[in-house]
Amino acid sequence: MSMHHKFFLASYFCLWLAAVPLSLHGQVVPENPSMQEKLYIHTDRDLLIAGEHLLFSLYLFNGNEVDKSNYAYLVLRNAHGTVDHQRVQLDDGRAHGGFYLEDTLSTGHYELLGFTNWMRNQEPSTIFRKHVVIANRFDQDLNLPYHDGASPKASPGRQSQYPAEIQLPSFNLSASDSIIGQRTKGSIQIQNTNPEQIHGQFSLSIVPDKATFAHNQSIVDYTLQKWDGSNPHTPTAQHFPYFMETRGTIISGKVTDSNGETVAGSRVILNKQDTLVNLKYTDTSEDGIFHFLLGPYYDDATLFFSLAPEAGHAYKNIYLFDKTKVEFPFSLPPDPLNLNQVDYISKSQDIVSVQRVYNLQYHSKTGDPDREIFPPLLYAEANYIYNPGDYIPLNDVYEIANELIPAWRVRGRGENANHLMTDDTRRQPMGEKPVFFADGILTGNIVPYLDLASDDLLRIETHDFHWQHGDMYFPGIIGIFTKDPALHFEPLEDDYITTDVDSPAIPLYFESPVYEDNDQRESAKPDARQVLLWEPDITFGAHQTIQLPFYTSDLSGRYVITLQGMTTQGKPVFEQQYIEVQ
């Protein structure tokens, strides 16, 4: 490829990047900024043992089918703070998955929170929250408050009281048998009996009736409740500190001066440690806030944020907003446990111990979904690439630059070291220091890298042009890539604010043993499932009837079947039935 052709392609790519919006002014504010989002989470149980999985099915709904968040955040916390969190990717407002509850979790009350980035603009009361109890299986004391009464046995059917004027969709839920034996096949029938063309998406669980809290809201209770400040947005006067994540996840923060005052117009640089030169940037708004819209390229990575080199930038600080932090305190459930629930927890500790001894697994994950990844490159291809390993070993970067890289010269030693680059087109020194990248990260300090020898380096890239990236000007670009980025970047860590971005959680699926014949039923391997069925993603058509098979385990007792979901018309569905396993 000719140099002219390479320059044209690189320039075109750079101009394309410059056209990509680097700040988020108005792009992800809904057409109706006063619109609220609501989020509901159906979990398989409310009482669990450390070492189990907490399964969930998530519903996001609002009054606008055009604008809707594509990501939600789930936080599991106790009185001491966040225990675990997930970012989940939504498919038309739906997602499902699970939390693995680490063996080391202590016995106590926990809260599961759910919200979108847009919901952080709303009243705190609109953030979804439900109470769960997690017990450590080695904790014999179970220091949990309880009362002496047993829990009342609820009757089948809807457990919530609805206003008479609200017409809810009708779905009949029934089990093949009300009493069923152990290791036996049963089935659940769900019938859409609505006269209209009602479609919807639902989740269904079969779990011990003692494993649920009566005070945790059903999806109907949640959608019909009246919230204080039901319309907190005032679009003509209020700035939106949190955008709706319709096209990717958004990282936000602010820049302050030495007095803690926010600073407008400061340029913030974002890099990811990588084997390619990458850069994304934005400027702080009038209130000192900045936002970065991130694609899959930044998933499962540590991100490095720095201020663009400018006068006075050493007296500024970057602060990142914690997306898992909420502004209201942890709360205990309104009612203590009862004796039946305490007894259930004690027995569950032994059951989970059996699961561990026999390595019983009832869950699986799918693979990572295919995602298109577009790195924010500065150029399509470097002008020159040098691989020091292809030559006689040299002792340091001074020798490598002087012997192998004609356009790059390094002068001076220690803190006085400096470097210059010759323009490949004009064959003249550019007169300014080139921009220096170390393992993909922009830094103004070349000193920690000057002692690196040929054996320490993978390659060096030079882009020896006067280069424009958006409205940033670079008098040449040097990219050094080392064999051990973490080791060599350590001297520069104080110059950056870092954060880790996880990939969206991979959905977790429930897997049950199958008992279709005597050989399967007579297997010596124990079946210690407390969850008999978990179907987190059921799609219903108009006038449709669905049959869901399930298999009981070795555990007897009373089980509750719970169906929850949302129709495409935005109406909630909640039905319950009970079965006895003997």
Side-chain angles (χ1 to χ4, degrees), residues 31 72 104 132 183 314 339 347 447 499 504 532 569:
E31 293 179 3
T104 54
V132 297
R183 296 200 179 193
L339 279 175
K347 292 179 179 178
V447 173
T499 190
L532 301 186
Q569 291 78 18

Side-chain angles (χ1 to χ4, degrees), residues 387-396 399-400 403-404 453-455:
N387 300 299
D390 294 342
Y391 303 90
I392 296 174
L394 298 172
N395 294 324
D396 53 35
E399 290 187 3
I400 293 171
E403 297 292 335
L404 304 180
S454 296
D455 292 341

